Every structure is written in C-alpha cells, then in structure tokens.
Amino acid sequence: MTGRSGRSARMAALASPTMVEPRRPEHVLIGPVGAGKTTLGSRLAERLGLPHVQLDTIANEYYRAAPDFDAPTYNSLMAESFVAAYRYWEPALAYAVERVVADHHDCVFDLGAGHTSFLDRQLHARVATALRPFESVVLLLPSRDTARSVSILRERCQQRGHEWIHEDVDFIEHWVTDDQNRRLAKRVVYSEDCDPDALVEQLLAGDPNTAVT
C-alpha cells in the first residue's frame, strides 16, 4: 500500500519550491520623490552600458492593464479627493512593479516613489515578492538625518510646484519615515553634497560610506 502514498509524497515534494530562487543582478533604485533616482539611474546605466528603465515614464500601460483599475473612476475620485484617488490607484502601482521587472532584463530599474511605499501597507508584500530576486535594491535618500531628508525633499518638490501634502497626508514625510523602503533595500545611498558620478562609483565599489541594510 505504499505505491500511491509514495507517489503522492514525491509529487508533493516536486510541487514544493525547494530550489533556490534565481538571483537577478540588475540594480533597482527606490526612494522618495526628488531623491535623485532618475539622475543616478541614468548615470549608472550609462556607466554599465545598459538601458535605463524609468517606471514612471512607461507605467501608464501597466496601470491601464491592472485588474480592478478604471481610469474614469480614478478621475472621478481625483475630482473629489486626491487621497481617495491615490488609495484607489495604489494596487495599480504594485501591479506596475510586478510587470516591469517581468518584462525587462539587463537594465537599471528606477521605480517612482509611490511604487514601493504604500498608504495601504498590505500592498508592500506584493512588491517585496517582486523585488526579492534582485541582489541590488538601492534606497536613495538625501541625508542620514531623517528630518533633513524631509526638509531637502520638500524644498525640491516646492521648486517643482508640488508640495505633496494633500488633506491629512504628508507624502514626503511618509516616504522618508515609513519603513517599507528600508525593508526592501539591500543598501542605502545618501546623496547630499555628492556628485552623481561619484555615487555611481561608490555603489559599484560597495563603498563603506553607503549603508548596508
């Protein structure tokens, strides 16, 4: 009577994910708006001779394809409440991360702020799963000092005409102080008073001045 049970055990073993998950060598840059991800991503991609995949510039196609996302509904909510519309949009942001890392390889990824730090924290697990294979997930911040990072980013955003404070939500403070980005990151790079090309060399060299999480 061991034949069927033995086969069942072998089938269960084969179905279990016991193999080591393949690792991916691409660099993934994350962090709050205004942190310098696009500049660093462009310089890093040029240095490595790889494409620079900036999610913010290609994400609309992913948003449109996201389950349960409807652009007219989003626009209707936006007319009433930025935060309500943003919360409705967040599952599409997570979906965009899942899709972009599946669709692109051998590149440098640059993920916009809202794609890795959510008001709905339950979405973090989806992005964590999508980024888990990557050996280099880099969180970019202006300063080791949290309050200074918030101040620098707020000033940069004000210069661009968007303060990122809506209703009761301070998005800049959320993106800097919430732990979601740090939980994703393998390394933290601080950019204040540092030339982007020097940051690239620090990152590639594993410079001890960049913090390892």
Side-chain angles (χ1 to χ4, degrees):
M1 298 297 291
T2 60
R4 179 174 297 179
S5 61
R7 285 194 299 272
S8 298
R10 287 193 295 272
M11 291 293 291
L14 289 172
S16 299
T18 56
M19 296 182 64
V20 176
E21 186 173 26
R23 306 302 293 168
R24 292 188 57 175
E26 297 98 333
H27 296 278
V28 182
L29 305 182
I30 65 174
V33 65
K37 298 182 299 297
T38 298
T39 300
L40 182 59
S42 177
R43 301 290 181 87
L44 181 59
E46 182 179 4
R47 171 72 168 77
L48 296 173
L50 295 173
H52 174 205
V53 176
Q54 187 181 0
L55 180 53
D56 280 347
T57 66
I58 61 174
N60 281 341
E61 63 182 280
Y62 295 134
Y63 302 154
R64 287 192 293 268
D68 301 321
F69 180 79
D70 175 69
T73 300
Y74 170 81
N75 292 332
S76 177
L77 288 168
M78 182 62 75
E80 300 295 328
S81 165
F82 182 96
V83 173
Y86 191 92
R87 288 184 180 278
Y88 175 78
W89 182 34
E90 282 196 317
L93 295 171
Y95 177 81
V97 174
E98 294 166 338
R99 285 288 306 276
V100 76
V101 298
D103 289 348
H104 296 270
H105 294 76
D106 301 318
C107 60
V108 173
F109 290 102
D110 159 14
L111 308 183
H115 293 99
T116 57
S117 182
F118 301 93
L119 300 181
D120 180 358
R121 293 177 60 86
Q122 293 184 4
L123 294 168
H124 177 267
R126 289 175 54 183
V127 173
T129 298
L131 298 186
R132 186 168 55 208
F134 291 90
E135 297 176 348
S136 178
V137 180
V138 181
L139 171 58
L140 188 61
L141 291 170
S143 171
R144 292 177 183 271
D145 181 84
T146 298
R148 177 151 181 78
S149 281
V150 171
S151 176
I152 290 171
L153 295 173
R154 197 179 306 286
E155 181 178 353
R156 291 176 183 174
C157 289
Q158 287 172 344
Q159 291 172 353
R160 300 174 185 178
H162 194 168
E163 294 191 10
W164 281 104
I165 299 176
H166 295 275
E167 298 155 45
D168 61 342
V169 179
D170 185 332
F171 283 87
I172 293 175
E173 185 170 338
H174 167 75
W175 288 325
V176 172
T177 62
D178 191 88
D179 67 348
Q180 292 176 72
N181 276 329
R182 288 188 179 274
R183 288 163 57 195
L184 293 172
K186 305 294 195 303
R187 185 174 294 273
V188 183
V189 172
Y190 301 100
S191 60
E192 186 179 21
D193 299 326
C194 191
D195 177 77
D197 291 322
L199 281 178
V200 167
E201 298 307 319
Q202 286 182 19
L203 183 58
L204 295 178
D207 191 298
N209 289 321
T210 62
V212 179
T213 58

